[in-house]
Amino acid sequence: MAGVRGKKVLLGITGGVAAYKSAVLTRLLVKSGAEVQVVMTAAAAEFITPTTLQALSGRLVRQSLFDPAHEAAMGHIELARWADLILVAPATADFLARMAAGMADDLLATLCLATSVPIAVAPAMNQGMWSNPATEDNLRRLATRGVLVWGPDSGLQACGEQGPGRLLEPERLHQLVNDFFVGGDLAGVRVVLTAGPTREPIDPVRYLTNRSSGKMGFALAAAFANRGADVVLVTGPVALATPNGVERVDVETAREMDEAVMGALAGCSIFVGCAAVADYRPAVAAGQKIKKLEEHRTLELVRNPDILARVAAQPSPPFTVGFAAETQSVAEYAEQKRRAKGVDIIAANLVAGEEGGFERDQNALTVLWEGGMRELPLADKGQLARELVTLIVNEYGKRYPTEDPR
Ligand code: PMT
């Protein structure tokens, strides 16, 4: 497992009966040349002793946020920067909930909050806990932030029940860590995406905008990054954390977004326009707050640059993917947009329905390209993003068979 050699793996162990498997995983990682720093929660120490893990890893096991030997020099921040990968295995339902909530109530949770290195979690819990909507919701939030979720397996559980929730076997986790370091199939492929809404100022306190939350675009950025791509995410104002491993550029207006995208295109292989860019902006943004003097006011609007069309019209354009937000005749209008803007793929969504579209956690897409069409049914945006990325990469691979993104 050459990918692991010389890598620094911070192995977080939380309190479940599967914690014994982490001892074997530690041994496998160390044998393949990784440096392993174990961090245990208090509950984990009820299942396996720090002494065992210290002997296997050859390093002092870290357990407390308030350890005077380390914390005099802000040791937890140092540790958060030390690793090349944080793997929490087993990750209990409780730990996933704390992580999803951004809590920092013990050393391991604090490290996960403070770090900017990739994080993988290997869930292990009773099948009822695994299927609980609370856990599903927490996993969804973590996946949207770019956290890798490895497993779980299904089968007989320690409690005697049967179902999903078993920790992956140490050999499988070892393999996943190795694959992670070898790099995904998109290693070296530069992807530029847009996400979120734009804000077009009317005066210093008012603006024109729309309902985009950025969830769809951020999920796509995470899905590309998880496959090893170099991802630049140009985003309008949203309340979302940057997915791990993604370079984020914050903008407000369509013109700022256009400038940021054009500046990021050098070396770009795939462009995805998921942002809900305002088609128009006020012709003049007043310098001072507009006073309520007249009974009627008219706001003159002028066209914004069409970023997607401009990318597709570059002399040597990247493989270009657009979105189409439609309230009726979704496939028909989307195909018209695809042709008019000259893009390779368009992913169309219904935005006035009962489900999916703006703001919601789920979406459904009709994906169209020259001579092809595929329906991606309603699913969590993280899942949908992974499916769309696979489809994009397939079509990109057909177009440029000599390049090797797959
Ligand atoms: O952000 P969420 O809340 O998760 O919602 C997701 C979404 C509904 C915003 C997303 O799935 C979506 O549909 N994004 C595109 C929204 C949109 O502006 O669609 P459109 O049909 O108006 O634009 C067509 C395409 O042209 C889009 O790729 C858009 O990014 C691009 N465009 C539009 C106008 C413009 N001036 N410049 C552009 O680049």
Side-chain angles (χ1 to χ4, degrees):
M1 297 262 180
V4 174
R5 189 165 305 125
K7 298 294 182 198
K8 298 185 178 108
V9 179
L10 192 150
L11 179 61
I13 306 179
T14 67
V17 68
Y20 75 92
K21 291 186 183 174
S22 310
V24 182
L25 176 60
T26 304
R27 178 87 189 104
L28 291 171
L29 289 169
V30 170
K31 250 180 105 177
S32 342
E35 282 185 66
V36 180
Q37 173 63 61
V38 175
V39 176
M40 296 173 77
T41 62
E46 298 289 327
F47 291 89
I48 184 165
T49 72
T51 318
T52 304
L53 291 152
Q54 187 176 313
L56 292 171
S57 66
R59 298 174 77 100
L60 209 60
V61 170
R62 299 284 296 275
Q63 289 177 273
S64 170
L65 195 48
F66 304 106
D67 179 349
H70 293 106
E71 290 308 321
M74 296 291 283
H76 65 282
I77 298 295
E78 200 182 290
L79 205 50
R81 293 191 192 121
W82 171 84
D84 296 311
L85 170 72
I86 294 183
L87 168 61
V88 183
T92 58
D94 170 73
F95 187 77
L96 295 172
R98 289 194 284 130
M99 207 176 150
M103 290 179 71
D105 53 350
D106 66 10
L107 179 58
L108 186 57
T110 305
L111 291 172
C112 291
L113 192 62
T115 196
S116 59
V117 309
I119 303 176
V121 294
M125 64 196 73
N126 162 270
Q127 56 86 23
M129 289 179 173
W130 173 253
S131 315
N132 191 296
T135 304
E136 287 177 355
D137 192 39
N138 290 331
L139 256 302
R140 195 178 301 136
R141 286 160 73 190
L142 292 172
T144 307
R145 287 177 212 156
V147 172
L148 302 166
V149 182
W150 291 346
D153 256 347
S154 196
L156 185 63
Q157 303 204 304
C159 55
E161 292 179 13
Q162 192 87 23
R166 282 168 58 93
L167 181 67
L168 291 181
E169 292 305 320
E171 292 74 15
R172 176 75 187 123
L173 288 170
H174 183 217
Q175 179 70 55
L176 285 165
V177 173
N178 188 71
D179 292 352
F180 170 83
F181 285 122
V182 167
D185 58 346
L186 297 184
V189 175
R190 181 174 170 87
V191 179
V192 177
L193 298 108
T194 64
T198 61
R199 281 182 185 169
E200 309 299 330
I202 297 170
D203 69 15
V205 295
R206 304 178 179 98
Y207 50 79
L208 295 178
T209 192
N210 58 64
R211 293 181 181 279
S212 173
S213 64
K215 287 177 188 170
M216 191 69 242
F218 274 57
L220 280 164
F224 273 114
N226 284 343
R227 288 179 66 160
D230 297 330
V231 180
V232 179
L233 175 61
V234 181
T235 178
V238 296
L240 296 174
T242 313
N244 286 340
V246 168
E247 183 187 333
R248 172 175 176 163
V249 182
D250 287 291
V251 297
E252 281 214 5
T253 66
R255 285 186 294 175
E256 286 170 9
M257 186 172 274
D258 181 63
E259 198 184 325
V261 166
M262 296 307 150
L265 280 186
C268 168
S269 298
I270 299 174
F271 173 80
V272 183
C274 188
V277 186
D279 289 320
Y280 294 91
R281 67 177 183 277
V284 180
Q288 303 297 330
K289 186 180 171 198
I290 297 171
K291 290 287 173 203
K292 196 170 44 184
L293 300 174
E294 302 100 333
E295 200 54 38
H296 298 280
R297 275 195 74 96
T298 304
L299 190 62
E300 189 192 346
L301 301 176
V302 294
R303 282 289 288 268
N304 267 328
D306 190 315
I307 303 167
L308 181 64
R310 269 166 50 73
V311 171
Q314 295 294 301
S316 173
F319 189 79
T320 308
V321 181
F323 269 70
E326 306 294 348
T327 54
Q328 56 178 327
S329 309
V330 175
E332 188 189 330
Y333 286 162
E335 180 58 11
Q336 283 170 13
K337 255 178 209 169
R338 190 183 74 79
R339 288 177 185 276
K341 299 194 185 212
V343 301
D344 296 296
I345 293 184
I346 199 137
N349 41 198
L350 184 69
V351 289
E354 295 279 295
E355 295 175 306
F358 288 101
E359 293 175 307
R360 303 198 171 104
D361 287 333
Q362 295 194 318
N363 202 8
L365 294 170
T366 304
V367 189
L368 302 156
W369 62 96
E370 194 63 46
M373 190 227 213
R374 172 114 176 259
E375 296 286 353
L376 299 179
L378 190 73
D380 171 68
K381 282 181 177 169
Q383 170 67 23
L384 196 65
R386 288 190 285 277
E387 289 172 22
L388 180 59
V389 167
T390 298
L391 201 156
I392 292 170
V393 171
N394 282 340
E395 290 309 308
Y396 174 75
K398 284 184 205 160
R399 172 72 57 84
Y400 303 105
T402 48
E403 297 188 26
D404 185 23
R406 298 190 292 164

